[in-house]
Amino acid sequence: MRYIAGRRRVGGALLLCVPLLDVVLLAATVISVRNGAEPSIWHGLSAAYIGVTVVYGHSTLRWADQKFAQRYGNAPKPTTPTLYGRQAIAAAWLSWLRFPLAYGISVGLTVGLIALVGGVQEGAPLLVWLNPLTKILVYSAIWPLTTTFRPGRAPNPQPHGEAA
């Protein structure tokens, strides 16, 4: 809508509605469980999904909008700085710290759903998603740890007249 149809305001309004999808999904999940639906892996998936989209949704939409603007709206390609040294370490850890937040929201929603259905015995299928989320939490720490020990070096400036 924003770039192909040239309807920037309508496209912007649609982008603002995206968080409403999380609210609708959460409401549908709660209503489903409260109305007696047997807790399933899909209810657990909704809790995991909401936790991740709350934390990463805005930046993902911004990235996709920039790419779409570049492709269809003739916007310039965004520049990203080359990070090295302490800047690279800080950026890697700041990026990683977003996932524990997403993990915490997902776990909180899962625990809330388990309480809603009456306890761990009844809500056991909801716990299935904690395994992959925990693995992602642990495995994703490899990048900032690696960057901490090997942060890269500043590029060497080339003397005038020499080709790289």
Side-chain angles (χ1 to χ4, degrees), residues 4 13 17 23 28 40 42 45 48 54-55 60 64 71 77 86 100-101 106 109 115 117 120 124 133 151-152 161 164:
I4 294 176
C17 290
V23 173
S40 70
W42 303 110
L45 174 61
V54 164
V55 174
T60 302
R71 174 88 166 108
K77 185 176 182 177
R86 288 184 182 176
L101 178 60
S106 298
L109 290 172
V117 299
V120 176
L133 286 174

Side-chain angles (χ1 to χ4, degrees), residues 119-153:
V120 176
Q121 290 295 336
E122 295 82 6
L126 300 170
L127 295 171
V128 169
W129 284 100
L130 296 184
N131 184 21
L133 286 174
T134 303
K135 286 179 181 176
I136 293 170
L137 178 69
V138 172
Y139 296 154
S140 65
I142 292 171
W143 179 254
L145 284 170
T146 302
T147 304
T148 299
F149 295 109
R150 297 189 55 87
R153 298 178 192 208

